[in-house]
Amino acid sequence: MPIDGVRRRALALLLASPTGTIGLAIVLFFLVLALLAPLFAPYDAIAVSSENVLKGPSARFMFGTDGNGMDVFSRVVYGARYAFGIAVPVLLLGMALGVPIGLYAGYRGGWFDEITLRVMDALRVFPSIILALAIVAATGHSLFNVVVVIAVLDVPLFARVVRAEVLALRRSGLAEAALAAGNPTWRILAVHLLPNCLRGAMAQVPIRMAWAVRVTATLAFIGVGIQAPTPEWGAMIRQGSEYMISGEWWVAIFPGTALVILIIGFSMLGDGLEELLDPRSNNSSR
Amino acid sequence: MHGRSGSSWLVLTLFAAALATAATAAPAQSPRTLIVAAPQTPTGFDGDLPKVATRQMVTQVYEGLVRYKRVTGTDGRVTLDATQVEGHYAESWTVSPDGREYTFKLRRNVKSPFGNELTADDVAWSLDRAWAVKRTSFFLYNLIGLTKWEKIAKYEIKMILKAPNLIFLPMLTMYFPPLYDSVQAKKHVTTDDPFAGKYIDQNTVGFGAYHLQSIKPGEQVVLTANPNYFRGKPWFERVIYREVPSTANRVSLLKTGQVQWVEDLPLKQIADLKKDSTLKVESVTGTQPATIRMNPNIKPFDDLRVRQALVFATDYAAMNRSVFEGLGVRVRSTVSPGVPVAINAFTGERDLPRARALLTEAGYPNGIDVNLNYAGTYWWMEPVAIQFKNQAAEAGIRVNLQRLPDPEFVQRGLVVRRDMALATQGDASFVLDPVFMVWIFGHSMGVANRNHYKSDAFDKLTMQALAETDIRKRSDMVADLQRMHANDASWIMLYYPGVHQAMNRCISGWVWHPDDWPRFFDLKQDAKCAK
Amino acid sequence: MHILRLVLRRLLLALPILFGMLLFTFLLVRVGSNDPVGLLAGPTASAEEVAAIRKQLKLDQSPLVQFGEFARRVTRGDLGQSWLSGKPVWGELASRLPATLELVILGGLIGGIAGVAAGLRAAFHPNGWFDQASRVVSLAGFGMPTIFLGLVAIFVFFYLLGWAPPPMGRIDLLLTSPPTITGSYAIDSALAGDWEAARSALARLVLPVLCVAIVFAAPLIKQTRAIARDVLASDYVRYARAAGLPPAVVKSIVRRNAAVPVLTFGTTEFIALFGIASVLELIFSWGGISQFGLVAVLKGDFAVVQGYVLFMSVIAMIVFALADAVVLMIEPRAGLR
């Protein structure tokens, strides 16, 4: 099957890009951490040790303990679960909604396209963090709401990218040929157009993952969406920020560093993919 | 002028001009100023319709007809004697033989910053207003039976109760009802606003030691001393109240000497500051217990055994260690220590086997699942919730933490709702009277009875105690009530976090008041003390 | 006038979006259990008080009536009153806007100029040391979530090094803020001749503005580089080079052609800065409009949240319109589509 071959070749090309390789390595590292967290974490993420509140890094607690007496190292490890656990559903949901919208808008044109463009414009108008914040605060602080809200914010992006690809493909006559061959609309969309549009969408994936991780952490830092004592990195930074000035730096610095490294990893992976899929592409890197 | 020499002359001239401006801009003799860092600046000043941070302001501006007598302990600390009430705005008073009528003779020359003297008209108007507005003052005084007031003479006013009540006088030590300069307030009355609500919300119209000078919303509030205050001028002629939302920043400002007084620091910071010799921390147990309360009207807490199981599952010592830095004072009843007739109604400690046995007896041999609600209204709520979750798990009680947004949490804890099964709660009693405390926490309609504890026997005895005038009988009743409440185990009694006031080393004079706010009038700075 | 007409047309097209925002903010408040009465009534409220407040706020009427009332008020410029402070939302927002503008405009200028310049330079010397270095910087800047960037900046420059002033607001506590002329403390203090205040305000601007600049520059570097490289690879430029035009001229061609896409991209990023600023304002106790909106969300003061969302939408519209105007001035043909 041609797609398999493409994948193998893609992987080889990706590895040829140093940025992409490093990015992939970082992402895989955290993924392994997330999947095998109990293997790596010496303690349970929410186990409390009441005599060891705010102790510095030591042999027993490698990254020290936080304000509730919980081991920071274990919480950072389990935090990887939350990072992926939120970013992946966000991505899937965003694509599941955005790709079909973009496909249909690009193919059909007309009023659907117009409305889609207007709505996408409207969403662009507003700083997304505030929007996400307001919606989550209004609808209730739950992980589910956070995932849905961030995913919805990603939808315009995927829609736009896919729509652009569809428009390009339309010009190439692929769609007309399929139509002439007697294919119904849904088949044209699903079988002929979709696979070719996914390229552009796929290139966006790592960057959107980085964005999802980042927004979740920011929301958690502000105090929205994540329920204590969940070991989410943003929530940990929130607690740690209060102790930065009194000297207990480890509570915020370690989760913060993990956050930064993972986001950079995704970004590098995204860069590598971009080079691979379209060396001269200028996709938005928001 | 061209060339280099020209431009350097220009620079020199500009420089000289800048210096001159700086020199002439030297400030005039500035008043003695206390700078306070607080999490929020007040957005309203109406004591009956309090908004964010209103109470702190109101206590500086509005004072009571009477006050608690102050006593100086052997350690030099000044405290309030909860058993002795003396005159403040009122010079003296008489009580009718049936205990229902109080006639107050007002002190002369109690003047507001506007130059108006306190008269019986002001007191009457203030009470009229409280009744019209129907908020805190009305609620408090209506409940203890204040029904009528009448002006007898220019400086005399009579207040009439439905039935004798020994709490009445202690309540008058508070700033409820706020006593307004009605002459000034009436200038801002309109047909829609017959009690000058708008004006009072944004201005202060009291007879107290301080007066609102300026507000910069979200930034700071400046108070200035009332030049006509009847007790003279305070040491600090001006108080700047700065909004500094971050606790870390407030601590930093205190340490660097940029502020001299700080509000609302969590115990972790307090514990650190206590070790810092350049600062001063004064502590008092206070009247606000940190508790976890169970609603006996909601399953599974309708079973006494389940409630007791939670009480015995709690690791009190560990809670104190991890959340309260070991500084907490154990809560033993609904009456805070230091108030007369506070007894050790609950003397239990952690007992895991007993907790598990109780659960099995109640029909939960494999443990039980409960939801714990909390919010951010007090700093200790989340740490306590987290610790409790861990501790209770060891007895088979699986606690699911559910943080609520502050407004929702407050709403659900109101007497009109009270629908949380298990929640952290903290309340302070403003009145240092044991019957008052037992009543607000335990009476089925008590304003601080947020977990809806309901017992007909308790209600009956409370009402009797409220009306009882014989001190001995009253004390016995109060002791019984505390025991009753503890035995019904609707509270997990944790600790008094205490009131810890952090201040600059050179400040002295702080006297704790039951509302937990200082009176800036009391403070002074030692001029010889090096900052 | 051509420009003006086009800009006005754009603004008109924005009206349906504004209406959508209006509806959205209205729904936002009604969704969930956001009950202002709890906030206003206080912990000791009785059932009668609660009902009275509800009636006063007209919350007992049907949602449609409420929306009509809301829409009517908004068109008159009345954004309602804060549930917490009772003050008019419009006033609260407007008075805090200059503080945010200080950060966003200064940071945007610095970050914008630095970012575009770096991106261009990287494009002109691909794979050189500058290109690699700027890639790293861009990556790091993009990777650092603002929350962490701000905290680390404070930790390093204030706590460890002691260079920066304490992160507590726009001016030293013991100095009073200057009378408002532009809204910027630094400028107003200078205008009023209060040099101490001006210096203090300026010192406090440094860290937050730098954070904003970094966050703004990071994506700009990358995007400018990509756009510039696109232009460089275009047939037009290749031909110009082949025809022997000197590098300086080629560069200016690239700049001219890259200007519009970069500006368009930059505008969207600039709007996002207002969101970034909210976090920074929180960390630095800045007192700007973004922090105010954020805190309102947390405290459940949805009257303010509502007004804030609308306010920000209008600002975003204005920014986009301005950017469009600039684009049209640079490239008049862009107006023909």
Side-chain angles (χ1 to χ4, degrees):
Chain A
M1 297 263 330
I3 298 197
D4 249 0
V6 166
R7 279 221 191 99
R8 246 180 284 125
R9 203 163 47 98
L11 198 61
L13 274 173
L14 179 66
L15 289 173
S17 145
T19 328
T21 317
I22 301 179
L24 187 65
I26 295 178
V27 170
L28 284 177
F29 170 71
F30 277 101
L31 189 61
V32 166
L33 220 58
L35 292 171
L36 301 175
L39 274 183
F40 293 101
Y43 302 93
D44 184 72
I46 55 174
V48 159
S49 170
S50 60
E51 309 92 39
N52 289 304
V53 169
L54 283 179
K55 292 279 192 293
S58 62
R60 199 170 152 206
F61 303 105
M62 282 205 300
F63 283 176
T65 56
D66 70 2
N68 289 309
M70 301 187 195
D71 178 34
V72 176
F73 181 75
S74 305
R75 284 169 71 77
V76 168
V77 169
Y78 275 97
R81 282 202 164 165
Y82 284 89
F84 282 97
I86 295 178
V88 170
V90 162
L91 200 76
L92 291 177
L93 189 59
M95 284 179 77
L97 290 174
V99 169
I101 291 179
L103 266 180
Y104 198 71
Y107 182 72
R108 261 289 183 250
W111 63 267
F112 184 80
D113 190 26
E114 277 300 311
I115 295 214
T116 318
L117 276 177
R118 291 275 156 264
V119 170
M120 289 187 334
D121 263 350
L123 278 173
R124 242 183 6 132
V125 151
F126 207 80
S128 43
I129 289 193
I130 312 272
L131 208 57
L133 184 69
I135 299 178
V136 176
T139 53
H141 296 224
S142 71
L143 273 181
F144 181 74
N145 286 348
V146 170
V147 168
V148 169
V149 168
I150 303 180
V152 163
L153 288 175
D154 268 349
V155 164
L157 204 108
F158 283 114
R160 205 170 354 130
V161 164
V162 168
R163 177 180 174 278
E165 298 254 10
V166 169
L167 286 178
L169 280 173
R170 264 175 71 184
R171 274 184 255 130
S172 78
L174 174 68
E176 282 169 10
L179 189 61
N183 284 297
T185 312
W186 72 266
R187 200 146 188 275
I188 300 179
L189 286 176
V191 175
H192 295 98
L193 292 176
L194 179 61
N196 293 300
C197 294
L198 273 183
R199 265 164 108 241
M202 288 312 248
Q204 291 294 313
V205 164
I207 305 219
R208 299 328 299 166
M209 299 270 278
W211 179 245
V213 172
R214 193 181 162 147
V215 171
T216 312
T218 305
L219 287 179
F221 175 79
I222 295 173
V224 166
I226 303 290
Q227 165 77 48
T230 316
E232 197 272 339
W233 291 335
M236 293 168 71
I237 299 177
R238 171 183 163 84
Q239 201 205 85
S241 67
E242 282 308 310
Y243 299 121
M244 284 280 250
I245 298 199
S246 52
E248 288 95 359
W249 53 272
W250 54 89
V251 187
I253 295 283
F254 286 116
T257 312
L259 186 67
V260 168
I261 294 180
L262 181 59
I263 294 180
I264 290 184
F266 274 124
S267 305
M268 290 174 103
L269 182 59
D271 277 357
L273 267 180
E274 261 178 37
E275 282 173 33
L276 157 75
L277 290 174
D278 189 346
R280 294 181 320 158
S281 84
N282 57 348
N283 290 320
S284 161
S285 59
R286 199 161 66 94
Chain B
M1 302 192 207
H2 301 284
R4 284 174 188 262
S5 61
S7 51
S8 20
W9 270 115
L10 188 61
V11 169
L12 272 176
T13 323
L14 282 174
F15 187 59
L19 271 180
T21 339
T24 53
Q29 181 63 29
S30 42
R32 289 194 286 242
T33 307
L34 177 72
I35 307 187
V36 176
Q40 277 152 350
T41 45
T43 52
F45 301 94
D46 186 341
D48 260 341
L49 295 156
K51 298 197 181 122
V52 171
T54 300
R55 296 240 154 84
Q56 296 88 305
M57 289 293 109
V58 167
T59 50
Q60 314 303 334
V61 177
Y62 299 104
E63 297 162 0
L65 285 174
V66 297
R67 61 173 182 243
Y68 285 116
K69 190 180 168 87
R70 292 177 175 203
V71 286
T72 313
T74 44
D75 57 354
R77 282 255 299 260
V78 176
T79 52
L80 300 181
D81 184 348
T83 59
Q84 296 212 46
V85 172
E86 59 182 19
H88 190 69
Y89 286 167
E91 207 169 51
S92 64
W93 63 93
T94 54
V95 188
S96 67
D98 65 355
R100 288 176 53 229
E101 294 182 7
Y102 287 74
T103 309
F104 293 95
K105 277 204 169 64
L106 299 175
R107 206 181 286 270
R108 306 290 153 97
N109 284 318
V110 175
K111 288 206 181 127
S112 76
F114 304 99
N116 302 313
E117 207 187 355
L118 172 70
T119 62
D121 285 327
D122 295 311
V123 181
W125 191 85
S126 302
L127 281 165
D128 289 339
R129 180 174 196 268
W131 249 242
V133 162
K134 279 199 167 34
R135 296 296 285 279
T136 321
S137 304
F138 166 74
F139 165 79
L140 282 171
Y141 287 97
N142 191 39
L143 231 46
I144 60 163
L146 178 63
T147 50
K148 242 173 61 157
W149 47 92
E150 32 184 82
K151 165 183 171 178
I152 308 283
K154 184 169 182 202
Y155 298 103
E156 250 184 86
I157 184 155
K158 187 194 300 205
M159 299 190 200
I160 304 174
L161 305 174
K162 224 173 8 197
N165 194 320
L166 288 182
I167 303 183
F168 182 60
L169 224 69
M171 275 174 69
L172 285 173
T173 60
M174 302 189 294
Y175 43 87
F176 295 111
L179 294 173
Y180 301 106
D181 175 352
S182 61
V183 172
Q184 175 67 16
K186 282 191 195 152
K187 295 184 189 160
H188 298 266
V189 157
T190 68
T191 37
D192 295 325
D193 189 8
F195 284 99
K198 267 205 172 68
Y199 180 70
I200 287 178
D201 183 60
Q202 291 301 310
N203 299 277
T204 56
V205 208
F207 297 93
Y210 289 93
H211 173 68
L212 177 68
Q213 185 182 49
S214 68
I215 320 172
K216 247 198 174 113
E219 241 186 77
Q220 70 180 30
V221 162
V222 180
L223 297 175
T224 180
N226 175 1
N228 307 323
Y229 187 54
F230 79 101
R231 282 198 288 171
K233 277 183 95 175
W235 199 93
F236 284 109
E237 297 156 329
R238 193 171 63 157
V239 178
I240 299 182
Y241 211 85
R242 258 325 274 230
E243 174 160 323
V244 183
S246 149
T247 49
N249 290 347
R250 290 202 293 280
V251 170
S252 187
L253 284 169
L254 187 66
K255 283 191 168 172
T256 53
Q258 291 182 288
V259 306
Q260 298 117 305
W261 190 267
V262 174
E263 260 187 36
D264 197 36
L265 293 179
L267 269 179
K268 172 75 186 73
Q269 258 80 326
I270 294 286
D272 281 341
L273 291 176
K274 271 187 190 272
K275 299 186 211 132
D276 188 335
S277 58
T278 63
L279 298 171
K280 190 193 279 200
V281 178
E282 291 185 9
S283 304
V284 143
T285 304
T287 59
Q288 188 210 103
T291 58
I292 298 178
R293 304 190 200 170
M294 301 169 270
N295 191 326
N297 306 292
I298 304 179
K299 277 188 177 329
F301 299 110
D302 52 346
D303 189 332
L304 173 67
R305 291 167 297 198
V306 171
R307 299 201 299 270
Q308 285 174 326
L310 265 78
V311 168
F312 287 115
T314 311
D315 188 341
Y316 297 92
M319 189 72 82
N320 194 11
R321 238 192 345 252
S322 54
V323 180
F324 301 107
E325 305 286 323
L327 298 172
V329 170
R330 187 77 184 271
V331 177
R332 295 277 179 204
S333 86
T334 48
V335 177
S336 33
V339 174
V341 204
I343 65 170
N344 283 350
F346 177 70
T347 49
E349 291 299 339
R350 186 182 216 204
D351 192 336
L352 279 177
R354 189 159 168 201
R356 282 193 220 102
L358 282 162
L359 279 179
T360 313
E361 225 186 280
Y364 301 98
N366 298 317
I368 191 176
D369 293 274
V370 295
N371 277 346
L372 174 58
N373 290 126
Y374 69 97
T377 38
Y378 291 106
W379 64 266
W380 48 260
M381 282 194 173
E382 187 164 278
V384 161
I386 294 177
Q387 296 295 323
F388 181 70
K389 179 185 162 94
N390 266 270
Q391 293 169 5
E394 292 175 41
I397 303 167
R398 294 171 289 271
V399 179
N400 176 37
L401 296 181
Q402 240 179 20
R403 185 177 175 140
L404 299 174
D406 290 4
E408 190 185 328
F409 183 77
V410 168
Q411 178 82 314
R412 291 177 67 178
L414 289 184
V415 167
V416 297
R417 227 169 123 174
R418 298 196 273 200
D419 59 3
M420 293 184 284
L422 181 68
T424 54
Q425 293 287 0
D427 279 286
S429 165
F430 289 1
V431 181
L432 297 176
D433 179 281
V435 178
F436 184 82
M437 292 179 178
V438 156
W439 170 51
I440 60 170
F441 286 127
H443 188 279
S444 58
M445 290 312 286
V447 63
N449 182 356
R450 302 189 193 283
N451 60 316
H452 206 170
Y453 168 68
K454 213 164 42 167
S455 152
D456 291 333
F458 189 92
D459 280 1
K460 192 151 158 238
L461 188 53
T462 308
M463 296 317 287
Q464 277 183 296
L466 274 174
E468 181 59 64
T469 43
D470 179 314
I471 306 275
R472 271 256 298 276
K473 284 200 209 143
R474 197 171 187 261
S475 303
D476 287 339
M477 289 183 196
V478 154
D480 281 341
L481 284 165
Q482 290 172 69
R483 273 186 282 265
M484 237 192 258
H485 187 270
N487 289 337
D488 274 337
S490 66
W491 276 22
I492 304 177
M493 300 188 188
L494 297 173
Y495 287 87
Y496 290 95
V499 178
H500 304 274
Q501 188 56 62
M503 64 191 88
N504 183 285
R505 189 166 56 100
C506 311
I507 305 262
S508 61
W510 178 55
V511 178
W512 174 77
H513 284 75
D515 41 53
D516 289 344
W517 304 120
R519 304 296 188 267
F520 294 130
F521 180 79
D522 296 328
L523 302 178
K524 54 179 75 61
Q525 184 161 316
D526 185 356
K528 287 180 265 140
C529 169
K531 269 207 271 185
Chain C
M1 280 309 104
H2 175 66
I3 296 179
L4 202 63
R5 240 190 30 218
L6 272 157
V7 171
L8 278 174
R9 227 194 77 206
R10 295 272 165 84
L11 282 176
L12 231 78
L13 282 175
L15 278 179
I17 298 184
L18 274 177
F19 183 78
M21 277 305 188
L22 204 75
L23 189 63
F24 169 74
T25 54
F26 179 79
L27 289 173
L28 192 72
V29 178
R30 269 38 175 201
V31 149
S33 49
N34 302 306
D35 196 357
V37 185
L39 269 179
L40 295 170
T44 52
S46 66
E48 297 90 33
E49 288 179 68
V50 170
I53 294 176
R54 196 174 292 276
K55 189 140 184 277
Q56 192 192 12
L57 290 176
K58 293 203 176 64
L59 287 171
D60 51 347
Q61 316 228 357
S62 81
L64 210 61
V65 172
Q66 287 186 48
F67 183 67
E69 167 80 19
F70 172 62
R72 218 176 317 133
R73 275 193 294 118
V74 169
T75 47
R76 275 184 312 183
D78 174 11
L79 289 175
Q81 274 139 330
S82 159
W83 291 350
L84 276 180
S85 75
K87 289 208 171 71
V89 174
W90 170 261
E92 299 270 66
L93 292 173
S95 64
R96 289 176 170 79
L97 184 61
T100 305
L101 285 180
E102 248 187 334
L103 289 186
V104 164
I105 292 181
L106 278 176
L109 265 174
I110 297 177
I113 295 177
V116 170
L120 282 175
R121 179 126 189 256
F124 291 141
H125 309 273
N127 302 318
W129 69 269
F130 189 82
D131 187 17
Q132 307 284 28
S134 66
R135 274 230 207 126
V136 171
V137 167
S138 168
L139 205 62
F142 182 70
M144 275 283 234
T146 323
I147 52 181
F148 202 53
L149 182 64
L151 281 178
V152 168
I154 294 178
F155 185 60
V156 170
F157 292 105
F158 167 63
Y159 185 71
L160 288 181
L161 294 173
W163 290 351
M168 299 162 208
R170 303 163 67 198
I171 198 170
D172 191 283
L173 270 196
L174 299 175
L175 302 171
T176 47
S177 48
T180 312
I181 306 175
T182 60
S184 157
Y185 280 7
I187 301 179
D188 289 346
S189 306
L191 287 174
D194 186 351
W195 300 111
E196 205 189 342
R199 250 182 300 126
S200 169
L202 221 66
R204 275 144 200 271
L205 271 173
V206 172
L207 270 189
V209 165
L210 250 139
C211 289
V212 174
I214 292 176
V215 172
F216 191 53
L220 263 185
I221 295 178
K222 181 154 172 234
Q223 198 64 4
T224 307
R225 181 187 181 280
I227 291 174
R229 289 217 58 75
D230 252 5
V231 175
L232 275 170
S234 73
D235 293 337
Y236 181 68
V237 172
R238 284 191 6 234
Y239 180 73
R241 268 190 172 153
L245 281 178
V249 176
V250 173
K251 282 190 186 170
S252 80
I253 293 178
V254 172
R255 279 197 211 101
R256 264 208 67 198
N257 280 292
V260 170
V262 169
L263 191 63
T264 316
F265 176 75
T267 312
T268 321
E269 292 295 312
F270 185 73
I271 295 293
L273 277 187
F274 280 92
I276 306 280
S278 68
V279 173
L280 284 173
E281 286 176 20
L282 203 65
I283 297 177
F284 286 96
S285 300
W286 200 249
I289 193 177
S290 301
Q291 177 184 2
F292 187 62
L294 201 140
V295 171
V297 170
L298 290 175
K299 289 203 220 146
D301 188 348
F302 278 90
V304 170
V305 176
Q306 203 167 269
Y308 174 67
V309 171
L310 282 171
F311 202 83
M312 281 307 306
S313 312
V314 170
I315 291 182
M317 295 283 161
I318 295 178
V319 169
F320 273 115
L322 281 173
D324 275 348
V326 172
V327 164
L328 284 174
M329 284 197 287
I330 298 179
E331 189 55 72
R333 289 171 298 165
L336 309 164
R337 258 215 264 165

